[in-house]
Amino acid sequence: MATAESGQPPTSGQIPSPTLEQLQDLLLESPGFDDFLLELAVFSASQLAVPEPMLCAISVERDGRLITVASSSESARQMDEKQYGFDDGPCLTALREGRTVLVRNLETSERWHQYWQAVTADRVVSVLAVPIDAGPDAAAALNCYARSTAAFDAATITAAETYASSLSRVLRLALRVHRLALLPEGLHGALQSRAVIDAALSLVMAQTRGSREEAAAVLHQMALSNKQQLKQIATDILNGAQLPEQANRDDTTPG
């Protein structure tokens, strides 16, 4: 549950949370790590912008370093980084203590009044920060900023917590790939895997005359069904492996 600084009663409602497949496709279809993170933050903002529009950012602390790995806007990134300057703030509390933090009104907050004074030009008055499980070697948080004190009702808080939970697996994967990509051999392997998957996606699109999203879904389904890594499935397809629909057609064709 969120730790709120005001007793304003919440309202009800529902916000659909993204599926793991949607997030995996987002990672798969992004041309690079930075592109993935940007799309993830923008996607987060669009998913959670009910009933009020908001800014979203994702903070990560790893190896003693704090960084905003993704933000839906420059303002969202600055809101995060101003907290880093104080080494305190709602998002850092959520990240380090592993709990949801809600500040309905920064202006009346005693704990973060100094932070509010630093961000008054951004007109942000309300903050919701939700921890994300980033694995044993990192800590992360989803940070939502709104320009209304009514932005974060009970449904929005629950949706943000559910969404942060769904982000965990794909963010851990992205961070792991990013760490490997810092090494020359890791970069080579990542680029090689990406090239194989891209080639397989193009081949599936040509064979099925479907979209890239539909092709990605085919690869993911084959990986799950065969309990293999996505790169291996992509390699098999490039080597002539049949797609599920093709195999079904061959099985039903009269001899």
Side-chain angles (χ1 to χ4, degrees), residues 22-164:
Q22 285 179 300
L23 296 172
Q24 287 176 330
D25 287 347
L26 191 64
L27 177 59
L28 175 67
E29 295 176 11
S30 300
F33 183 73
D34 292 340
D35 301 273
F36 161 69
L37 292 172
L38 174 60
E39 290 185 32
L40 182 61
V42 173
F43 184 63
S44 301
S46 66
Q47 288 285 303
L48 297 173
V50 178
E52 303 275 349
M54 64 185 68
L55 313 174
C56 286
I58 298 171
S59 297
V60 171
E61 186 170 40
R62 186 170 62 179
D63 299 330
R65 182 186 179 194
L66 276 164
I67 186 171
T68 297
V69 296
S71 59
S72 60
S73 68
E74 180 63 17
S75 292
R77 184 186 65 80
Q78 291 177 357
M79 292 292 294
D80 271 11
E81 293 184 350
K82 286 175 182 176
Q83 293 185 55
Y84 304 163
F86 291 111
D87 196 34
D88 188 26
C91 84
L92 297 188
T93 300
L95 182 151
R96 291 169 175 169
E97 298 183 8
R99 62 184 177 89
T100 298
V101 176
L102 170 65
V103 186
R104 292 198 185 277
N105 193 335
L106 279 172
E107 185 176 5
T108 60
S109 168
E110 293 183 6
R111 177 172 178 179
W112 290 302
H113 189 72
Q114 188 178 10
Y115 171 62
W116 172 76
Q117 290 178 318
V119 299
T120 51
D122 295 290
R123 295 182 291 110
V124 168
V125 297
S126 190
V127 182
L128 175 67
V130 183
I132 304 172
D133 180 6
D137 301 321
L142 169 67
N143 313 311
C144 306
Y145 302 99
R147 296 185 170 112
S148 166
T149 57
F152 301 115
D153 60 19
T156 307
I157 294 168
T158 299
E161 291 175 331
T162 301
Y163 183 70

Side-chain angles (χ1 to χ4, degrees), residues 12 36 43 99 101 107 119 138 156 171 196-197 201 215 228 231 233:
S12 60
F36 161 69
F43 184 63
R99 62 184 177 89
V101 176
E107 185 176 5
V119 299
T156 307
L171 182 60
V196 170
I197 293 172
L201 283 172
Q228 290 180 309
K231 181 185 175 183
I233 291 296

Side-chain angles (χ1 to χ4, degrees), residues 209-224:
R209 297 183 180 180
S211 65
R212 188 178 179 87
E213 180 180 6
E214 291 168 337
V218 170
L219 261 67
H220 281 298
Q221 186 56 50
M222 291 178 68
L224 290 173

